[in-house]
Amino acid sequence: MKTRYSYGGDEHIYVEVDEEMSLDAFFISLSMSNAVREANIPGVTEICPANASFEVRFDPDVIAPADMMERIKELEHKAETAEKRLSTRIIEIPVFFQDPWTHETLMRFRERHQDPSGSDLDYAARINGYDSVEAFIEAFHSQPWFVSMVGFVAGLPFLYQLVDRDKQLEVPKYLRPRTDTPKQTVGYGGCFSCIYSVRGAGGYQMFGITPMPIFDPEQEVSYLKDFMVFFKPGDIVKWKPIDQAEYDRILKEVEQGSYTPRIAEVDFDLDAFNADMTGFNAKLMEALNDA
């Protein structure tokens, strides 16, 4: 990996750790952005992490762009040698796969899709070499996912599956974006999954929907009283397939204010994960099951 720096006008510096997303690149980017934050550099007004990169906004009247660039570069070696560990949480997210709402939407936009004759899941299963949609869904939910970024749309998480690179699922986005995507759709594009936090346009393949709100600017949802955005970078997600009856039950509990997401506090150690991915993931899921 070779870190690249670039200016974005007079007030922004963009730092790209690698051209491709990887957990190693994520941790270096996270360490660098944390180091910039902890350095309390006069003039820094905002730090925005994103997958294998981050952006720093600063006041050029307080610190010159060249000086800001030099300060960030000074922190690079410290970040590269930092321990790749994170105290975080694993969260169970219920998903109603092949639900009627995303199905109705995807059928309205088949002319924008690579395979107009099938569903998004049909296409994803076929190009990843699975014999059935059910086998693809099993691969999708059987191993946990890592939240590498939150943003683009308010509260929207990007998730990267915790498996060997050669086992990762890959599905391109729609040929042309849709003008509609149901709120809380679970989608997929490239090597990333996501949850659409609001209804709107989109291009990720649509696999299902969760009854669990993840963004609430009014902060009326019981578990979003303290902060309107549910996810943060470094969270770990385990999808849980549900049927419509369970979807309706959870939705009712959310509306009544009685729903509590299943969450366990865990430590993520990248070296330990790389040494034994299957065993490490089993321990993560054991912690969730014990919660």
Side-chain angles (χ1 to χ4, degrees), residues 6-223:
S6 59
Y7 291 108
D10 295 331
E11 299 182 359
H12 298 86
I13 290 177
Y14 178 70
V15 182
E16 183 182 62
V17 174
D18 199 9
E19 292 182 354
E20 294 186 1
M21 169 59 193
S22 68
L23 291 175
D24 289 282
F26 168 84
F27 271 92
I28 292 174
S29 175
L30 180 66
S31 296
M32 287 185 70
S33 60
N34 285 342
V36 173
R37 184 177 291 107
E38 292 164 4
N40 292 316
I41 301 170
V44 172
T45 58
E46 189 174 3
I47 302 167
C48 181
N51 295 328
S53 62
F54 65 95
E55 187 175 70
V56 177
R57 184 179 183 184
F58 60 95
D59 184 347
D61 292 330
V62 177
I63 182 169
D67 293 337
M68 184 72 250
M69 179 79 79
E70 189 60 32
R71 290 297 305 275
I72 295 175
K73 288 183 177 181
E74 290 172 358
L75 299 168
E76 182 177 354
H77 177 70
K78 178 182 177 182
E80 288 178 344
T81 57
E83 286 190 334
K84 296 179 176 65
R85 293 183 179 180
L86 186 68
S87 292
T88 184
R89 55 187 184 164
I90 182 169
I91 308 155
E92 184 177 82
I93 303 294
V95 183
F96 181 14
F97 290 100
Q98 304 187 86
D99 65 282
W101 304 283
T102 59
H103 183 76
E104 185 276 331
T105 303
L106 67 86
M107 293 304 295
R108 284 192 280 121
F109 294 97
R110 293 329 284 164
E111 81 283 356
R112 305 185 184 201
H113 195 273
Q114 293 88 343
D115 183 8
S117 63
S119 71
D120 293 7
L121 275 168
D122 290 331
Y123 173 68
R126 178 170 56 80
I127 68 170
N128 280 276
Y130 289 92
D131 295 333
S132 66
V133 165
E134 290 72 23
F136 177 84
I137 291 174
E138 175 68 23
F140 183 82
H141 79 78
S142 62
Q143 298 298 320
W145 296 71
F146 192 91
V147 176
S148 60
M149 170 182 165
V150 178
F152 182 71
V153 174
L156 184 152
F158 288 84
L159 303 102
Y160 185 82
Q161 195 170 31
L162 293 173
V163 294
D164 276 318
R165 187 70 183 90
D166 61 357
K167 294 181 180 178
Q168 283 187 334
L169 306 171
E170 292 198 14
V171 190
K173 297 191 292 185
Y174 274 44
L175 296 174
R176 290 186 292 126
R178 300 178 303 274
T179 56
D180 190 22
T181 308
K183 181 180 178 180
Q184 291 156 217
T185 290
V186 174
Y188 206 95
C191 64
F192 288 100
S193 184
C194 78
I195 304 174
Y196 283 79
S197 52
V198 297
R199 182 177 182 178
Y204 274 28
Q205 308 286 336
M206 295 184 290
F207 292 169
I209 197 166
T210 176
M212 183 180 151
I214 60 169
F215 174 64
D216 180 21
E218 304 300 325
Q219 293 181 261
E220 296 174 345
V221 175
S222 60
Y223 55 85

